[in-house]
Every structure is written in C-alpha cells, then in structure tokens.
Amino acid sequence: MARRPVRRASRAAGSSARPATIPSTLSTPVSSAYPSTYASEAELDDDEVVSKLPLHALTLSEVAEHEAAAELAKEEKAKAAAKKKQPFRCMDLPSELRIKILGYYFADVGPVIDLDTDNWKRIHKKLGILRTSRAMYFEASHFFYGSHTFRLFPTIGKFFKAKKPLLARLNKRQRGWITSLELRLGPGWNRPPRGWVVNDALGLADCVSLRNLTVFVECDPSDNVFNGFRRADGFYEKFSRDLLSDVLVGLPFLDRIYFDAWTSVKKSGAMMRGLFEVTAAKGRKICWGPERGWTDQEEVEPAKVDFNHTGISNTMMNSVGISLMVVA
C-alpha cells in the first residue's frame, strides 16, 4: 500500500523569526553622553581669558579686581600710544643740523685714516649708517671722505709693507669724495717698501675733489746723526724727491703743497731742500703745516751751548751721569 505524502506548511514570504524584546527601564546611552578628552570651545575661550589675567587678579577680592581692571586699561592705553608713535625722521632736519650730527657721530674716528688693524672697531662699524637709505648714503659718505685726511702709503704695523695702499682699496666714487691726502716720509728710510710707488692702480686721477696735500717728514737721513747707518749718501733723499714728483704728476689740478715735520727736521737740510725744489719745479705753491711751525721766514738755528764758558766741564757732567744733546 502506497504511503500518502506528508504535506509541509510553507512559511510566508518576508517573514522571519525575531528575538523577543525584553522590557527595561534603562535607556540606551548616546555618544554625546560619554565624557570627551578634548576641551570644548567654551572651555578654550575661558582658558585664554584666564591666561591673560595678571596673578593678583585671580582672586575674589573686589579691590584686586579693580586693580586688575586698572592695570589692564593701562596696558591697553600704552599699546595704543606705541602704535600711534612714529620714529624720528633725521632727514627732515635742516642740512646744517644733519652735518653737525654726522660730525659728532664720526668724532672718534681721528683726523688721519691709514691702514690699521684697529679700523674695524673705529671705522667699519661706524660706516653701517651708510646702509640706512640712499639719501643717507650719499650725505654721510660725502661728509666722511671729505672731512678726513687719507694717508697715501701705509706706515703702521703689518700694513707698512702692504702692496696695496689704502687709496687703491677704495672705489672710484669714494676717491672722488676725498679732499685731503698725506704723504709721510721717513719710515723705512734705509729700505723703503716696494709698494710705495705711484701707478694707475693708486687712483690719483680719481681724486677730483682734492684740495690739500700734506708732506710730513719724520726724519732727515742727511743729518749727521745717521752717519754710519745710511744705505748710501743721498739715497733716501732722491727716493723722496722722485716719489713726490710722481705724486704731483698724478695730481695736476692741485696748486699748493703743505709741508710739515717733526722738530728734529731742519728746513735747511738736504731732505727738505730737495722737496722744495721739486715743488717749485712743478709750479706749486709751498705752504706750511701747524706741527713744525715753519713760516716763509728763514729758519733760525738754536744757539749752541758752549760748556767751556759756563764753568761746567763735560767730565763733571759725565761723572754724575748727565748727558745733554741739543736737537734742532
């Protein structure tokens, strides 16, 4: 006997078994209910305000609150005044006052400028004012180079034998502002440095504003004091004459030369007479500097002391350790 098929009940489409809900009095927490590790905007604003308050304002005292408010107002007023305050404009002053200020500014530089290791402290830092503006650059440069005397050849320390003098180290514009030069003779009288030559690199032709040339003589090797120490008789005198002649050829627009010397140099000596002859041959006027005090009058030789007529013998003076030398 055939079995009768069992008919199975089919589930309705879309229906599914769901878990039963369990009633509870607790509500499901949302994300905003959990504490955050980041400060809110309101908290940040409060912290910024608190950080700006002075220490004595962090109190509940009414007096301290008033003091804090007064100090805060004072600070705000000072900041506002600082914003309104403008820097002093030096170029608004009259040119006469600006020249006076520059004179005080460069007062400790010294009247004569030469190659020296001390130039960095005395001069280089002072010239920083030239970088202020274009107008200040031209005005201060014109004053600095025009109010100081520049030495033609170095005579100080390690620069004495330098191959490049100070004048050759300046540019054409700077040489054009120079109004006074100094030629110092005497250093290296037995062996002059090789760098003491006049050539195109020296730049004398660029000194178009030059008004004064001072020849300062430190010693006269023709004096009897130098006997036995000279390289050759008349050697340094000829070197000095040739050097001055070359300088005057490079400065054709200069009409006068100032001569000065130490007290031991005589105007009637071979050194000075040779320099006077070169100057006169070039058609330049001879003037005198302030150190030696020479004038157009003939030099008066100091009176010689004859100890034989004074009652004091040289033997007596030597016995007590006294030696006297009269220097012109």
Side-chain angles (χ1 to χ4, degrees):
M1 179 176 178
R3 295 185 60 180
R4 188 176 180 178
V6 178
R7 188 176 181 180
R8 297 181 179 179
S10 61
R11 296 182 179 179
S15 62
S16 61
R18 295 180 179 178
T21 57
I22 302 175
S24 176
T25 58
L26 298 176
S27 60
T28 304
V30 294
S31 59
S32 61
Y34 292 101
S36 174
T37 57
Y38 300 95
S40 63
E41 296 181 358
E43 292 173 341
L44 289 176
D45 294 340
D46 294 340
D47 292 341
E48 186 176 357
V49 173
V50 172
S51 63
K52 292 182 178 180
L53 291 176
L55 292 177
H56 63 267
L58 302 177
T59 177
L60 298 178
S61 174
E62 294 183 359
V63 177
E65 291 179 1
H66 288 297
E67 292 179 355
E71 184 175 350
L72 186 59
K74 186 178 179 180
E75 292 178 358
E76 294 294 336
K77 187 178 180 180
K79 290 180 181 179
K83 291 181 180 179
K84 293 180 180 179
K85 187 177 180 181
Q86 298 294 332
F88 177 74
R89 293 178 56 85
C90 180
M91 301 306 294
D92 291 343
L93 292 173
S95 59
E96 295 83 0
L97 293 181
R98 296 200 301 268
I99 295 301
K100 284 286 186 181
I101 293 173
L102 290 174
Y104 289 121
Y105 182 75
F106 290 112
D108 56 347
V109 170
V112 181
I113 297 179
D114 193 2
L115 286 178
D116 193 356
T117 55
D118 195 39
N119 286 349
W120 178 265
K121 297 179 181 179
R122 293 189 304 111
I123 303 176
H124 184 77
K125 293 183 178 180
K126 291 280 187 180
L127 295 180
I129 194 176
L130 304 182
R131 304 186 184 97
T132 305
S133 65
R134 184 178 179 86
M136 179 59 72
Y137 171 81
F138 284 101
E139 185 168 291
S141 298
H142 189 275
F143 177 85
F144 174 77
Y145 292 101
S147 61
H148 294 87
T149 299
F150 288 79
R151 192 163 290 161
L152 271 175
F153 300 105
T155 61
I156 301 176
K158 67 177 184 180
F159 295 104
F160 175 58
K161 296 183 179 181
K163 297 181 180 179
K164 198 172 183 180
L166 175 61
L167 192 63
R169 298 169 186 252
L170 303 178
N171 58 45
K172 183 177 181 180
R173 176 182 292 175
Q174 293 168 340
R175 290 194 290 262
W177 285 320
I178 294 177
T179 60
S180 178
L181 290 175
E182 182 191 75
L183 173 62
R184 187 166 286 250
L185 299 174
W189 55 271
N190 200 33
R191 188 177 181 182
R194 295 182 179 179
W196 286 38
V197 293
V198 178
N199 49 31
D200 295 337
L202 189 60
L204 288 178
D206 299 329
C207 301
V208 294
S209 301
L210 190 66
R211 298 293 177 268
N212 298 324
L213 173 63
T214 300
V215 179
F216 195 100
V217 181
E218 294 186 357
C219 65
D220 184 0
S222 65
D223 194 271
N224 294 332
V225 157
F226 294 87
N227 289 342
F229 299 98
R230 304 186 192 96
R231 181 174 179 178
D233 290 342
F235 165 74
Y236 192 72
E237 293 88 325
K238 182 179 183 305
F239 170 81
S240 300
R241 292 195 301 268
D242 294 341
L243 186 62
L244 178 59
S245 177
D246 294 341
V247 170
L248 296 182
V249 170
L251 300 172
F253 44 83
L254 198 63
D255 61 347
R256 62 188 61 197
I257 311 298
Y258 291 84
F259 286 93
D260 212 340
W262 295 132
T263 55
S264 61
V265 179
K266 299 178 182 180
K267 189 165 64 171
S268 58
M271 179 77 168
M272 297 306 304
R273 285 190 287 104
L275 297 177
F276 295 155
E277 292 173 359
V278 171
T279 305
K282 297 296 181 181
R284 314 299 171 87
K285 184 179 179 180
I286 298 176
C287 302
W288 312 108
E291 181 69 31
R292 189 65 172 85
W294 283 330
T295 62
D296 293 335
Q297 303 296 327
E298 292 293 332
E299 185 179 20
V300 179
E301 294 288 341
K304 295 183 179 180
V305 180
D306 189 357
F307 295 102
N308 295 326
H309 297 282
T310 58
I312 303 176
S313 63
N314 293 336
T315 305
M316 184 182 299
M317 295 180 65
N318 293 334
S319 64
V320 294
I322 298 176
S323 59
L324 179 63
M325 180 177 67
V326 179
V327 181

